Amino acid sequence: MRFQDRRQAGQRLAARLTEWSADGDLVAPLVLALPRGGVPVAAEVARALGAPLDILVARKIGVPGHPETGIGAIVGDDPPLFDRRAMEMLGLTEERLAPDVARERTELRRRERQYRGDRAAPHIEGRTVILVDDGLATGATARAALRHLRRQGPARLILAVPVGAPESATALRSEADDVVCLLQPPDFRAVGLWYADFDQVGDEEVVRTLHDHGAAAGKG
C-alpha cells in the first residue's frame, strides 16, 4: 500500500489518532510538524483533532558527500545529536562536521523566522504533544526533536508518521511515550517510495498552511 500524497497520509494518520481522542487518550493535544514535509500531514491531523498546529524546525546533518544520509540533527539552540557509532565507522569527528552544523544552524534560523515571524513558540509543559513528519528513515531528526521537546516537560509525547523504517520506529519508542507509524515495510528503503506524489513542499506552502491555522497556532 502507498499513500496518494501527504494530505491523504495525514488523513489516515488522523483517523488513527481520532480513535485515541474518542477514547479519551488525547487530552488538549498540540500538533507540531517537522517542516517542510511534515506540515501538510500535520495539518490534516490538527484539523481532525481540532487541535492547535505549529512547527518545530529541525535540520539533518548529512554525511559529507552524501547529504541525504543523516548522521545527526540539530533543533533550536541544542547541541548537535550525532549517531556516534556511525561517525566512528565513517571516521568522522565533530570537528570535521562543524562547518556542516554551522550551515544547517543558519538555515534552521532562517526557516524559523520565515515560518513563525515574531510569534513565540508554543508552550509545551504539561501538554499532550504530537510530533508529526511525513516519514521516518534513520530517525535522526525525529530523535533530536523528541529530546528537545522532552526537556520542556510535556505531559505526553507522541511521534506520529505515516510510514517508517521498522528499526527506526522501534528505536524511537524509547524517546516518545507513544509511536504511531501506520506502515513499517520490511523493504522500506526511502520515505518517498511510499507516496505516489512526493513533490517537495516549499516554504510558501508551509507559511500558507500555518496561516490557515493561524488562530489556533498562535495560542501558547
Side-chain angles (χ1 to χ4, degrees):
M1 181 181 75
R2 290 202 302 170
F3 300 105
Q4 177 61 36
D5 53 22
R6 291 180 178 88
R7 181 179 178 184
Q8 185 199 48
Q11 290 168 350
R12 292 187 181 177
L13 194 58
R16 175 71 60 85
L17 291 166
T18 300
E19 292 176 3
W20 288 20
S21 182
D23 292 338
D25 291 338
L26 299 180
V27 179
L30 165 68
V31 178
L32 291 180
L34 286 171
R36 288 179 261 192
V39 172
V41 182
E44 296 298 327
V45 173
R47 184 175 295 111
L49 296 178
L53 172 68
D54 212 310
I55 47 101
L56 177 63
V57 182
R59 295 294 296 169
K60 177 174 68 178
I61 307 300
V63 174
H66 301 277
E68 71 283 353
T69 303
I71 198 166
I74 54 172
V75 183
D77 293 321
D78 296 353
L81 180 63
F82 290 117
D83 183 336
R84 297 291 176 179
R85 183 177 179 183
M87 286 177 65
E88 184 175 346
M89 291 175 60
L90 294 170
L92 294 171
T93 63
E94 288 195 38
E95 289 74 20
R96 168 65 180 83
L97 294 169
D100 302 87
V101 172
R103 182 177 61 253
E104 294 301 335
R105 186 88 68 184
T106 298
E107 176 62 12
L108 183 152
R109 294 304 184 207
R110 183 196 72 80
R111 293 194 183 197
E112 285 184 332
R113 288 192 301 270
Q114 181 165 7
Y115 300 159
R116 181 172 283 120
D118 295 330
R119 181 167 51 83
H123 184 71
I124 300 299
E125 185 175 2
R127 303 178 76 166
T128 298
V129 178
I130 304 172
L131 180 69
V132 179
D133 203 355
D134 57 8
L136 195 63
T138 66
T141 303
R143 185 181 299 276
L146 289 167
R147 291 190 180 182
H148 175 82
L149 292 169
R150 181 68 77 187
R151 285 191 285 271
Q152 298 179 59
R156 185 177 181 186
L157 183 57
I158 300 169
L159 174 65
V161 294
V163 61
E167 61 273 17
S168 297
T170 298
L172 287 172
R173 294 187 186 281
S174 64
E175 305 288 349
D177 297 310
D178 299 283
V179 175
V180 180
C181 184
L182 301 182
L183 299 182
Q184 300 183 46
D187 57 339
F188 171 77
R189 290 181 291 171
V191 172
L193 296 177
W194 302 96
Y195 288 83
D197 176 359
F198 198 64
D199 287 347
Q200 184 175 357
V201 177
D203 286 341
E204 289 185 2
E205 181 177 348
V206 172
V207 172
R208 182 173 64 251
T209 302
L210 292 173
H211 181 269
D212 289 345
H213 289 77
K219 296 177 183 178

